[in-house]
C-alpha cells in the first residue's frame, strides 16, 4: 500500500512489497507475480498499457523485408575524374567522397607511415590559409571533413548541406590539390603521431 510521508513538503511514496526480502516466501500473490509474464502484465496494467507479447519466449523470426540498393549513376568529368552518384533525397545533406587508390602499402621502404602523415596534413591548411582558417571555412558552412587511410586507399570525405554543395566541393578540392604542407605543421603532426604510436605500444595486450 501507499504510505504518505509528511513534512515540510508532502509527497506520496509507493512502497513496493518486492523490495522487502522474505516477503515472497510469505505472500502467495507475490510468488505468482514473480513469474515474468505476470510481473510484466502487472507493470503494463499500472501504466495503462495492454501487452500481448509473451516475454518468456524468444521472438519468432519473421520473413525478411524486400530491400533494393539504390542505383548508381556513373559519369566522367571533363578532367577525367570518374564520378559515381547515389541519389538520396530524404534529407538535404550531401557527402562527397574522394577515393585515391594509394594507401599505406605504397609507403617507400624506411618511410612507413608516410601515407597516413600526408593524409593528416590535408586539413592543416590549403593555399594561403592556415589550419585554423581552413577549419573556420568548414565551420562557416557547417561542413565536416574526414580522412581515412587503408592499406590500398586514401579516402577524403566532406559532408555538408546540399545548399552549400559548391563551397564544400571547392574546399575538398582545394585541400587535396593545394595542401599547405608547412614545415612547422609537418613537424607538429609528425610528433603527434609518434606520441600516438608510443601510447599504442604501452597498451597491454590481451592474450
Amino acid at each position: 500500500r501507499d504510505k504518505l510521508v509528511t513534512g515540510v513538503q508532502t509527497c506520496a511514496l509507493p512502497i513496493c512489497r518486492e523490495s522487502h526480502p522474505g516477503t515472497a516466501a510469505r505472500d502467495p500473490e507475490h510468488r505468482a507475480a514473480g513469474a515474468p509474464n505476470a510481473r510484466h502484465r502487472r507493470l503494463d496494467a499500472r501504466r495503462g498499457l495492454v501487452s500481448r507479447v509473451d516475454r518468456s519466449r524468444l521472438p519468432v523470426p519473421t520473413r525478411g523485408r524486400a530491400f533494393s540498393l539504390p542505383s548508381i549513376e556513373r559519369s566522367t568529368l571533363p578532367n577525367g575524374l570518374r564520378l559515381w552518384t547515389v541519389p538520396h533525397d530524404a534529407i538535404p545533406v550531401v557527402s562527397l567522397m574522394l577515393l585515391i587508390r594509394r594507401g599505406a602499402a605504397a609507403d617507400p621502404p624506411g618511410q612507413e607511415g608516410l601515407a597516413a602523415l600526408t593524409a593528416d596534413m590535408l586539413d592543416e591548411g590549403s593555399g594561403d590559409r592556415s589550419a585554423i582558417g581552413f577549419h573556420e571555412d568548414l565551420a562557416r558552412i557547417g561542413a565536416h571533413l574526414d580522412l581515412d587511410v587503408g592499406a590500398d586507399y586514401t579516402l577524403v570525405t566532406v559532408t555538408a548541406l546540399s545548399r552549400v554543395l559548391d563551397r564544400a566541393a571547392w574546399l575538398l578540392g582545394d585541400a587535396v590539390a593545394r595542401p599547405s604542407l608547412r614545415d612547422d605543421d609537418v613537424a607538429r603532426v609528425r610528433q603527434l603521431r609518434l606520441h600516438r604510436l608510443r601510447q599504442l605500444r604501452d597498451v597491454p595486450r590481451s592474450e
Side-chain angles (χ1 to χ4, degrees):
R1 295 180 181 178
D2 295 344
K3 292 184 178 181
L4 188 63
V5 180
T6 59
V8 178
Q9 295 181 350
T10 302
C11 61
L13 300 178
I15 306 299
C16 181
R17 284 181 288 182
E18 294 179 5
S19 61
H20 298 282
T23 307
R26 301 191 304 266
D27 192 347
E29 180 183 352
H30 183 84
R31 289 199 302 268
N37 290 344
R39 182 174 182 273
H40 286 295
R41 284 197 298 268
R42 184 180 62 183
L43 292 176
D44 291 341
R46 288 181 179 178
R47 299 168 183 165
L49 302 176
V50 177
S51 176
R52 299 180 180 178
V53 179
D54 186 358
R55 295 183 175 88
S56 65
R57 301 180 181 180
L58 292 175
V60 179
T62 58
R63 181 177 300 179
R65 297 182 179 180
F67 176 77
S68 59
L69 293 173
S71 59
I72 301 177
E73 300 176 3
R74 296 175 173 85
S75 59
T76 303
L77 299 180
N79 60 3
L81 187 67
R82 289 182 293 176
L83 180 64
W84 290 17
T85 305
V86 180
H88 185 68
D89 301 329
I91 54 177
V93 175
V94 61
S95 292
L96 301 174
M97 307 173 68
L98 178 63
L99 178 64
I100 303 172
R101 294 186 175 181
R102 289 294 185 274
D107 289 342
Q111 297 183 1
E112 290 78 9
L114 179 60
L117 178 62
T118 304
D120 282 346
M121 291 300 304
L122 294 182
D123 64 345
E124 293 293 330
S126 61
D128 56 353
R129 286 191 304 275
S130 64
I132 295 177
F134 180 77
H135 283 277
E136 285 179 347
D137 286 345
L138 287 174
R140 192 170 292 112
I141 62 174
H144 174 72
L145 183 71
D146 186 58
L147 303 166
D148 185 26
V149 178
D152 56 355
Y153 72 90
T154 299
L155 187 63
V156 187
T157 304
V158 63
T159 304
L161 294 174
S162 56
R163 61 183 176 86
V164 294
L165 171 60
D166 292 344
R167 181 63 178 173
W170 188 87
L171 288 172
L172 172 63
D174 198 49
V176 174
R178 299 196 309 154
S180 299
L181 300 179
R182 297 180 178 88
D183 291 341
D184 53 346
D185 291 334
V186 173
R188 175 174 52 83
V189 173
R190 180 178 180 274
Q191 195 65 31
L192 289 174
R193 293 197 65 85
L194 289 176
H195 289 329
R196 176 59 177 163
L197 291 175
R198 294 190 185 99
Q199 291 175 352
L200 293 176
R201 182 192 60 187
D202 296 337
V203 173
R205 299 180 180 180
S206 59
E207 300 294 340

